[in-house]
Amino acid sequence: MVATLLLAPVTTEAFSVQPAIQELSVRAGESIQRQVTVANPDIEPVELFFTVQKFVAGGGGAPSFLPPGDTAGLPEWIRVSAPRVMLRGGESRTIQVDIRPPATAESRGHSVALFATEVAPPGGNVQVAKRIATLWFVTVQGRSGEPALPAWEVSMSESRIRHSGWKTEVSTTWNVKNTGMTHGIAVLPTEIRSLTQVLSTTSTVVRLLPGETREGSVSASTIWPINRITLKIEDPSGRLLERQVWVIGRSAWTLIALLVGSGLVTVWRWSKRRRRGILGS
């Protein structure tokens, strides 16, 4: 019986919420509507209720949720068409979400999570309820104020060189910070080129909240004894950051050591023969 329990496939199903991310812009004093779909793939019915909670950047792209009691701003402007729903087994429903910022709202970005939480069954001392969030990134444009836009500050560190066998690896780290008034998506193309060819090309896409910073790195390796490596990164505004470094690999140092050694031996032999010639005369 134990073997049967261990080998038998076990599946755990829960309700789902789609889409996972909503990104939109609305003018102060106007309204905008979006839809959220909840589905129950299980055979048992499930009851859900909706709550809204603000979040800020928590580091590494993860959200850090603020206390539920902090409802100033976007949580006060959101209305859900059905704050509580019952889903039969296999049923799905579409819920309308209405966002209506006041005419006095300032131009800035807001970020909240709309939670769909399962109503725990009655009875028992310990109750565990499933909770799924959709993340909402909302930009409010004030009617008379400055438009809310993201702004980017990109920097690149000095190049680092690491030798591994006959290969030489060159790498650098970059930082991007959103210094604007609302969230945004930064696209950062990077390229590493040697004297003769492109060694690596990448493109990083990150979503950043206002004040949030993200770090990344790029690297490439070469087997040429001596090479010039150029590292480039383009920020979202089109500005190009560049680092250049001359690389001397272990093979080059070995060749240089052999040449220097051979030269010293040649000079020693020549000097020895010259002394013999002088003494012989």
Side-chain angles (χ1 to χ4, degrees):
M1 183 174 62
V2 172
T4 303
L5 290 174
L6 291 176
L7 296 176
V10 178
T11 60
T12 302
E13 294 184 335
F15 65 92
S16 64
V17 184
Q18 294 294 334
I21 293 177
Q22 296 270 11
E23 193 166 4
L24 52 99
S25 179
V26 58
R27 289 182 60 85
E30 300 179 359
S31 66
I32 191 170
Q33 292 77 37
R34 289 292 187 272
Q35 292 180 333
V36 172
T37 300
V38 290
N40 177 22
D42 204 350
I43 59 175
E44 298 294 330
V46 61
E47 187 177 7
L48 307 175
F49 66 93
F50 296 93
T51 57
V52 178
Q53 195 168 345
K54 294 160 67 172
F55 69 87
V56 295
S64 176
F65 293 102
L66 301 183
D70 185 357
T71 59
L74 186 56
E76 297 177 329
W77 309 336
I78 288 183
R79 295 292 181 270
V80 181
S81 61
R84 200 177 184 102
V85 296
M86 175 70 75
L87 297 176
R88 298 187 298 270
E91 185 183 9
S92 64
R93 287 186 60 180
T94 298
I95 309 300
Q96 181 164 300
V97 180
D98 183 86
I99 299 177
R100 189 185 299 271
T104 56
E106 297 180 355
S107 295
R108 55 161 294 193
H110 300 262
S111 52
V112 300
L114 176 64
F115 283 103
T117 305
E118 180 183 6
V119 177
N125 295 326
V126 179
Q127 298 180 355
V128 178
K130 304 180 183 71
R131 186 168 80 149
I132 300 177
T134 62
L135 303 184
W136 291 66
F137 300 92
V138 180
T139 300
V140 176
Q141 304 290 357
R143 287 187 170 180
S144 58
E146 180 183 358
L149 297 171
W152 310 108
E153 184 179 283
V154 182
S155 62
M156 183 165 53
S157 68
E158 294 295 330
S159 305
R160 296 189 300 271
I161 300 174
R162 186 174 67 89
H163 301 286
S164 177
W166 296 109
K167 290 184 178 181
T168 302
E169 183 183 77
V170 181
S171 63
T172 186
T173 59
W174 51 261
N175 282 273
V176 56
K177 181 178 181 179
N178 182 2
T179 60
M181 300 173 62
T182 188
H183 70 278
I185 297 177
V187 181
L188 304 167
T190 58
E191 178 184 274
I192 303 180
R193 177 184 292 273
S194 69
L195 284 171
T196 58
Q197 61 180 338
V198 175
L199 301 177
S200 171
T201 58
T202 59
S203 186
T204 305
V205 181
V206 291
R207 177 186 279 106
L208 298 177
L209 296 176
E212 185 178 5
T213 301
R214 199 75 57 85
E215 181 181 282
S217 63
V218 290
S219 63
S221 60
T222 178
I223 60 174
W224 285 93
I226 300 176
N227 212 332
R228 187 186 70 183
I229 305 298
T230 303
L231 303 100
K232 300 179 181 179
I233 182 170
E234 183 180 335
D235 73 4
S237 65
R239 184 173 64 99
L240 192 65
L241 286 77
E242 185 175 305
R243 294 279 187 272
Q244 287 189 351
V245 59
W246 280 95
V247 173
I248 302 178
R250 287 178 177 173
S251 57
W253 289 115
T254 303
L255 180 60
I256 291 172
L258 290 174
L259 292 175
V260 170
S262 299
L264 291 175
V265 170
T266 301
V267 170
W268 176 76
R269 287 179 177 177
W270 176 82
S271 177
K272 186 176 180 181
R273 289 175 182 174
R274 188 169 180 270
R275 288 197 303 271
R276 285 179 179 178
I278 293 175
L279 292 175
S281 62

